[in-house]
Amino acid sequence: MELEFGVQYSKKDRDTSVFEAEAEVEDEPAFRALLDSEYEDFEPVDGGLNTIEETRIDPYIMLSGENGPAKWEAGLRYETTDFSITDETADADARTNDKDYGILLPSASVRWALSDSDRITASVARTVRRPNFDYLSPALLGGEYGDNDFIGNPDLEPETAWGADLGFERRLGRRGVFGVNVFYRDITDLIELTNTGEYSETALEDYEDAIDDGATPEEAAEELVSYVLTAENIGDGQVWGVEFDLSTPLDFIGMEHTGVFLNYSWLDSSVDDAFGERRFNSQSDYVFNVGFTQDIPSWGAAFGATYRKQGDAEGRIIGEEVVTQYGGDLEIFIEKQVASNVVLRFTGSNLLDSSKDETFNKFNTIQDQIDRDFDEYEIETETAGPWFQLVARMAF
């Protein structure tokens, strides 16, 4: 049996200073350096003048051992976080926010050898995911998410989860492996983007302009199509799934220089919002990878291909619902040794000209969304096109 213990310390600081000024220049025929006299006074942009500090002290202890065919580990970790954010562009009563918390994180795992080729693994652990800094800043950012504004939430709690995994792994020949793993996560204080229900500054300005132009309030309300988003702990949720993995050379059928690999993950989830039960926002229901590699030792060359695909993802907040569809991605490579210490590698990616297609359903009010009274329907398609790369590697 082996005992390990210690303390991990980390400190993250981020200072942001972004200012802007309008320049009094007209009809300039070409780029040139502007004089100080041509600028108006510099002012910080929204969210552009802030300081974030995070200090963590994490003591831990871990026991590990081996009993016959079983190898096991058990650990306990206590993570403490002291967080402070100051944003000079936010409202005066929200400029400085402090938060500190401690979370106990136990874990245990075991690997059981059924034979020389077969193994079972099992684990249980509590984990934590802290909100990213951008979600915590209290400044109001215009047009941060498309037409929607965003305001951070410094009161966010960290997201915690109890998880369990159970897997089976089998070795194939000398270098191959096949595995299957099932997992479950019970998540507390799930963090997601939400709609505050307040209209964005742009929407309110467009509404006022329409009123000034003589529109009735009902007609001007058509301009109220964008909102202020924020990040919130929306409650508790669960996610579960199955993962399959295969990676092996084909030497068992006489093709020792050919390798194949396949990975498939299926997952589902459940969380409740204002409209009922749904999956986690922006979570695909599957991810799939398959490919092969072929070595040609007599030529000092190799080539291969990988195909990737993921399922549709859905998202729902107040005022907007979106479905995202992803096209398949094909990548190939060709590699050739041109000298004893030089290798050339050519890669082509996105050869199928994969697209990302999004459909948006938009609503003016929560009741409209419940009644399926649509205000706007939007379709967006994004393609990047294939790209190619040629790289030379030299060993000294």
Side-chain angles (χ1 to χ4, degrees), residues 195 271-278 316-321 363 365-372:
N195 192 333
V271 67
D272 291 328
D273 63 12
F275 308 101
E277 185 179 350
R278 61 165 171 82
R316 179 173 70 192
I317 60 175
I318 294 174
E320 183 176 282
E321 299 170 5
F363 309 86
T365 66
I366 295 177
Q367 191 60 47
D368 286 347
Q369 195 164 354
I370 295 173
D371 296 338
R372 315 311 294 165

Side-chain angles (χ1 to χ4, degrees), residues 281-313:
N281 279 338
S282 305
Q283 182 189 76
S284 296
D285 53 359
Y286 74 86
V287 179
F288 175 67
N289 295 273
V290 63
F292 76 94
T293 59
Q294 177 67 56
D295 293 331
I296 310 176
S298 60
W299 293 1
F303 64 92
T306 302
Y307 175 77
R308 304 180 184 90
K309 185 73 169 68
Q310 68 183 83
D312 297 349

Side-chain angles (χ1 to χ4, degrees), residues 371-389:
D371 296 338
R372 315 311 294 165
D373 184 3
F374 298 87
D375 174 69
E376 188 176 282
Y377 182 74
E378 184 177 307
I379 300 175
E380 294 184 8
T381 296
E382 178 182 316
T383 58
W387 66 269
F388 304 94
Q389 183 182 53

